[in-house]
Amino acid sequence: LPLFFDLAPGNVKEVINTVNAFTKENGFLLEPATEEHWEDIRLIRNKNSEFYKNAEQIEKDDHWKFMRKYHEGYKVGTENGKCVAFIGHVNKDFRVGSERKGSGVANFILEMWIENLGRSFDVSVLRSNKRVIAYAWKFGYAPGKEAWERGDNPVPLLRMSENETVDVLGLAAKRKPSRL
């Protein structure tokens, strides 16, 4: 919500609740991932496979086995009943995927995830994944300085306000991270 950057934290929550009400009225929801969403999650993930640690295409049988075990760690963004994005956190592996890059859908589901579950999750990213590093920076995360200097890959993304991090893309000079 960059238009509301200067709002107090309580006001930001009020804006988010208003946006949620609007999106619900207009057909966009964040909801638990049920079996009816599993194929959409797989297709979205495979379409964007280069952004994941395992960049190989995931076969349906393998995905179903995984989702049977970990579906409770997933939410989907649906628009008029169709799955257009997903978010999940399993075994310290955080993942977000959207079939519509640049539409704000991924931002919305991550903001809702943080609002509902807080920020107590671990996030790592491949060093070469500049898109995800920039995306995480908008939410107040950056590569941990020690891990980056050691050459870890993937490298943990840490809360900038609570840890020593490194601005590997020079983003601090360009924009401020969100306060969410």
Side-chain angles (χ1 to χ4, degrees), residues 142-149 156 158-167:
K145 184 175 181 181
E146 288 180 20
W148 187 267
E149 289 173 351
L158 305 175
R159 288 285 312 269
M160 291 186 282
S161 62
E162 300 169 3
N163 299 280
E164 191 172 5
T165 60
V166 59
D167 182 5

Side-chain angles (χ1 to χ4, degrees), residues 84-116:
V84 296
F86 71 87
I87 189 167
H89 189 246
V90 175
N91 294 332
K92 297 189 174 191
D93 185 11
F94 187 80
R95 47 224 49 203
V96 177
S98 172
E99 70 173 21
R100 289 195 258 138
K101 298 282 182 238
S103 68
V105 170
N107 286 354
F108 175 78
I109 64 173
L110 183 56
E111 288 168 357
M112 294 304 95
W113 180 279
I114 290 170
E115 179 184 331
N116 291 311

Side-chain angles (χ1 to χ4, degrees), residues 44-109:
I44 293 168
R45 185 258 176 235
N46 282 347
K47 183 178 178 183
N48 299 286
S49 64
E50 73 272 15
F51 298 114
Y52 297 93
K53 183 177 180 180
N54 174 8
E56 295 176 20
Q57 297 292 295
I58 304 297
E59 297 297 325
K60 185 173 181 175
D61 289 342
D62 293 333
H63 183 65
W64 251 247
K65 287 176 191 171
F66 176 87
M67 290 303 290
R68 278 188 195 99
K69 189 173 183 179
Y70 297 112
H71 70 276
E72 291 180 5
Y74 277 77
K75 302 263 187 221
V76 293
T78 61
E79 186 173 49
N80 298 318
K82 180 182 179 339
C83 177
V84 296
F86 71 87
I87 189 167
H89 189 246
V90 175
N91 294 332
K92 297 189 174 191
D93 185 11
F94 187 80
R95 47 224 49 203
V96 177
S98 172
E99 70 173 21
R100 289 195 258 138
K101 298 282 182 238
S103 68
V105 170
N107 286 354
F108 175 78
I109 64 173

